[in-house]
Amino acid sequence: MNSRQGNPSPDKGMHRVFLILSLVITVLVMSTLNAMIDLFLHPEIPFLDDGHLLTGGIATLITISLFGIVLVYIDRLQHAVRVHEEMRAAISASEAKYRDLFESSRDAIFVTDAEGKLLDLNQAGLKLLGYPALEELAATGHGENIFTGAAEVDPWNVLRRDGVLKDSEFSLERRDGSRVTVLANASAVLDSEGKVTGYRGSMRDITGQKQLQEQLVQAQKMESVGRLAGGLAHDFTNYLTAIQGYIDLAVMDVPTGPVQDNLVEARRSTDGAANLTRQLLLFSRTHPMETRPLHLNRVISGMQEMLDHLIGERITVRTDLAPDLPMVSAEPRNLEQAVVNLVLNARAAMPDGGKITIRTGKRTVDAEYAASHAEAYPGDFAFFSVADDGVGMDSETMAHIFEPFFTTSRHGDSSGLGLAVVYGIVTQYGGWVDVSSAPRKGSTFSIYLPVTTPVGGEEAARPVSPAEIAGHNERLLLVEDDDAVREFAEKILAENGYVVFSAIDARQAFNVFVAERANIDLVFSDVVLPGDTGVELAEQLSSFKPGLPVLLASGYNDTVVDWQTVNERGYRFLQKPYSLPDLLSAVRELLVQARARSADN
């Protein structure tokens, strides 16, 4: 073994033996010389005197022994010093190694005494709790108990009771007052007698992970409620379609007077019910969105008078509209709905009155901004914001504002759908909502929408005359499984110049199509049917008669409708509940387009 293991090497051992022999020889030579000198100087002393020789020999041996002992002791002392220095160097290297591991760990690592007083904490732990130095942290409650301010559980009591803390989740308060969620593991340090001398452990920051889990749960919850809302709205729109349609017919048939006035009021009420249904579909984000190029400034300017009446006298609305704003692709009614919902939300935040500011602008979003906003992405965007100086929101409230039916209203005057609808509208248009707020400092909701470069500029709606939407004996195939809706649509179309063939499902519709030898000018079908869907029926019939105009209608159910096919084929969609003019206009428009294509060919 070598000297690092505590034993001398063979070379060093031989060196010591040679040194001792040299010393013995030297002493013997010196003794002999000393005797010869004495004989020369004192001839009267017998050289071979036994006593003299015995005394000299003993002295010589004692001298040699003493020198040998001293030399061996010195050698062993030097060896012990070398071993000690090597051990100290090894210990220092080990301490440096583990200190480096301690400080470079991404998890917080702590060491305490038996009473929980903090003895050591690495840089990750200081960063976790928001302190620049251990001395500053030690002067706080964390110095006496690293788990000070823990919520959900009491990790210190668990650790003292069980001697171990395993995968324990709780939150700690940081220096700035915010809270961080950690996953902690710790154990007791025992001496040779089994007595606790301290504790050591680690904590991992899982705040981001917990937030992602909560967002996933929230998304799943919104999806579930959205499916429920979409299903209810789909059934409800069938009833509304028939009710509104028959009221419209009744209004046209009765003379002017109280009865007609009552019918008009009833029709107005159904408009409110239809709007509520539409909001449910927008919230659930299963409402198919039609888009056209729009100027945000024109949409907001056109709403100014209506907003003034909506919010009352104690609140003022101010607009700050940026010039040269790029256009966005959206549907005016949906954007108006978003603005109204945000303004009503702002009004609710100012029970004692205040000011609402609506701004527009444009922004180029870079990768850095997009990385810090979950739904943002780089590109050019136009935005509008609604800001109030009301009560504001804390972080807990902000975490729930887009949940369906969540409301802070204490008087039951809010359905809780307002902001959820805004979220549904904006995300379907490829945008996102950015919210900033603080208690007693108001709130600002900013809506970002991607810009568009339309060909031909912004579209404008044009009123049509009854003659333009009347039929000319065109043959229509009507497919609707709801009896009331089918009878209403058949009556409307027949009374306005069309020949109508009715069916309750896709199979019956196909049989009618075959029986009429494909002599059908247009197919008007509900999307959701027993058996094959309206989209599948349209595909089947179009394979027999390419270019066949197709009009689809539904309260919409995204688990059934193949919207990719609808968009690719260019099928026209009519949202239920539809009105009499909407139905006739859509049918007439498709037939005119088909006739134009036929003429070109």
Side-chain angles (χ1 to χ4, degrees):
M1 297 190 301
N2 58 33
S3 60
R4 291 181 63 85
Q5 296 171 305
N7 294 319
S9 66
D11 291 340
K12 290 187 176 181
M14 291 300 294
H15 176 72
R16 285 198 295 270
V17 172
F18 177 75
L19 187 62
I20 293 173
L21 290 175
S22 299
L23 179 62
V24 170
I25 294 171
T26 300
V27 171
L28 289 175
V29 172
M30 292 296 294
S31 298
T32 303
L33 288 175
N34 183 58
M36 293 177 66
I37 292 172
D38 285 344
L39 180 62
F40 179 78
L41 294 177
H42 305 284
E44 70 279 6
I45 301 176
F47 178 67
L48 299 175
D49 181 76
D50 294 338
H52 182 77
L53 289 174
L54 179 61
T55 302
I58 292 172
T60 299
L61 291 174
I62 292 174
T63 302
I64 292 172
S65 299
L66 289 175
F67 270 103
I69 292 171
V70 170
L71 288 173
V72 171
Y73 177 76
I74 291 174
D75 182 68
R76 291 184 175 178
L77 182 62
Q78 290 176 338
H79 175 68
V81 170
R82 286 195 300 272
V83 170
H84 180 68
E85 289 177 348
E86 290 174 354
M87 290 178 63
R88 287 186 59 185
I91 292 173
S92 297
S94 178
E95 288 180 346
K97 174 183 176 181
Y98 286 103
R99 170 56 66 173
D100 182 62
L101 291 174
F102 178 81
E103 293 296 350
S104 62
S105 172
R106 298 177 65 180
D107 292 341
I109 301 177
F110 60 89
V111 180
T112 76
D113 63 14
E115 301 302 321
K117 186 175 182 179
L118 186 64
L119 300 179
D120 204 357
L121 181 68
N122 65 351
Q123 287 297 318
L126 293 173
K127 182 179 179 181
L128 178 73
L129 296 173
Y131 288 88
L134 181 61
E135 294 76 17
E136 184 176 346
L137 182 142
T140 68
H142 290 295
E144 298 299 324
N145 177 1
I146 187 65
F147 303 130
T148 294
E152 296 89 29
V153 298
D154 188 345
W156 175 237
N157 284 340
V158 174
L159 183 57
R160 285 195 303 177
R161 182 192 67 210
D162 301 338
V164 65
L165 197 65
K166 186 172 180 60
D167 292 338
S168 180
E169 287 188 17
F170 51 87
S171 63
L172 293 174
E173 186 174 355
R174 304 181 77 248
R175 183 189 184 193
D176 60 4
S178 63
R179 301 196 70 83
V180 59
T181 303
V182 300
L183 180 69
N185 289 275
S187 59
V189 180
L190 308 178
D191 61 15
S192 58
E193 298 178 355
K195 182 180 179 181
V196 176
T197 60
Y199 299 92
R200 59 191 173 194
S202 65
M203 295 185 294
R204 175 172 297 178
D205 184 357
I206 59 171
T207 306
Q209 177 183 335
K210 296 296 289 184
Q211 289 174 344
L212 288 175
Q213 290 175 350
E214 291 170 359
Q215 290 175 6
L216 176 60
V217 171
Q218 175 66 17
Q220 291 172 337
K221 181 168 63 175
M222 291 186 71
E223 181 181 3
S224 297
V225 178
R227 288 181 181 274
L228 174 62
L232 291 173
H234 171 262
D235 293 337
F236 193 49
T237 53
N238 280 334
Y239 298 123
L240 282 176
T241 300
I243 293 171
Q244 288 183 338
Y246 282 115
I247 291 177
D248 287 339
L249 290 176
V251 169
M252 291 186 293
D253 289 341
V254 300
T256 302
V259 174
Q260 188 183 77
D261 292 342
N262 291 339
L263 289 172
V264 170
E265 287 300 318
R267 183 62 170 82
R268 186 177 293 113
S269 296
T270 63
D271 287 338
N275 185 58
L276 177 60
T277 304
R278 184 166 164 270
Q279 290 200 48
L280 283 171
L281 292 170
L282 289 171
F283 145 68
S284 64
R285 289 183 290 167
T286 62
H287 182 68
M289 295 290 199
E290 294 185 0
T291 63
R292 61 187 179 92
L294 292 175
H295 282 293
L296 286 177
N297 288 352
R298 294 181 185 175
V299 173
I300 293 172
S301 297
M303 299 177 65
Q304 182 72 54
E305 184 176 351
M306 183 267 289
L307 293 177
D308 289 337
H309 291 295
L310 183 68
I311 60 174
E313 298 179 353
R314 293 190 299 173
I315 298 176
T316 59
V317 177
R318 186 176 71 89
T319 59
D320 182 8
L321 307 181
D324 302 323
L325 199 64
M327 300 177 74
V328 299
S329 184
E331 202 279 323
R333 291 184 301 172
N334 290 338
L335 283 188
E336 290 171 358
Q337 183 75 66
V339 173
V340 167
N341 287 7
L342 290 174
V343 169
L344 290 177
N345 182 73
R347 183 187 69 176
M350 299 183 293
D352 298 323
K355 180 177 66 176
I356 297 174
T357 302
I358 303 176
R359 292 186 174 89
T360 62
K362 55 186 176 181
R363 176 172 186 170
T364 298
V365 173
D366 56 20
E368 181 179 357
Y369 176 91
S372 61
H373 293 74
E375 296 177 323
Y377 54 95
D380 294 325
F381 298 86
F383 70 87
F384 70 91
S385 64
V386 177
D388 65 70
D389 52 7
V391 296
M393 298 178 288
D394 56 23
S395 57
E396 178 67 20
T397 301
M398 290 178 64
H400 299 283
I401 54 176
F402 295 120
E403 291 182 7
F405 312 115
F406 175 79
T407 177
T408 57
S409 174
R410 299 180 180 179
H411 306 291
D413 54 358
S414 172
S415 67
L417 276 176
L419 295 180
V421 168
V422 172
Y423 182 80
I425 292 173
V426 174
T427 52
Q428 281 216 40
Y429 288 140
W432 68 90
V433 186
D434 187 18
V435 186
S436 62
S437 184
R440 297 178 298 280
K441 294 185 178 180
S443 303
T444 300
F445 289 77
S446 299
I447 309 301
Y448 288 85
L449 297 170
V451 302
T452 185
T453 306
V455 177
E458 184 174 10
E459 296 180 3
R462 182 181 68 85
V464 295
S465 66
E468 290 181 285
I469 58 177
H472 304 284
N473 292 319
E474 292 92 345
R475 299 163 64 86
L476 309 185
L477 176 56
L478 170 64
V479 191
E480 171 62 64
D481 62 319
D482 186 277
D483 294 339
V485 176
R486 185 178 63 255
E487 291 170 3
F488 157 70
E490 184 175 1
K491 179 180 178 63
I492 291 298
L493 294 170
E495 290 181 355
N496 282 272
Y498 296 101
V499 178
V500 183
F501 300 89
S502 297
I504 63 172
D505 58 25
R507 174 175 295 184
Q508 189 179 83
F510 181 77
N511 292 336
V512 171
F513 186 81
V514 172
E516 294 300 320
R517 300 180 182 276
N519 186 19
I520 297 295
D521 297 310
L522 179 144
V523 176
F524 175 37
S525 175
D526 189 13
V527 173
V528 183
L529 297 169
D532 291 343
T533 67
V535 178
E536 293 168 337
L537 173 64
E539 290 286 278
Q540 187 179 23
L541 299 184
S542 296
S543 66
F544 286 95
K545 187 174 182 178
L548 177 66
V550 175
L551 176 61
L552 299 172
S554 181
Y556 185 68
N557 186 323
D558 64 342
T559 62
V560 177
V561 180
D562 180 7
W563 285 104
Q564 181 177 353
T565 301
V566 172
N567 294 328
E568 288 176 352
R569 300 292 188 271
Y571 297 152
R572 179 72 177 271
F573 182 83
L574 191 61
Q575 177 66 42
K576 289 182 177 180
Y578 49 77
S579 67
L580 186 153
D582 289 341
L583 172 59
L584 295 177
S585 295
V587 169
R588 189 76 249 151
E589 182 179 337
L590 286 173
L591 290 172
V592 170
Q593 291 174 354
R595 189 178 297 113
R597 287 194 301 268
S598 177
D600 292 339
N601 294 332

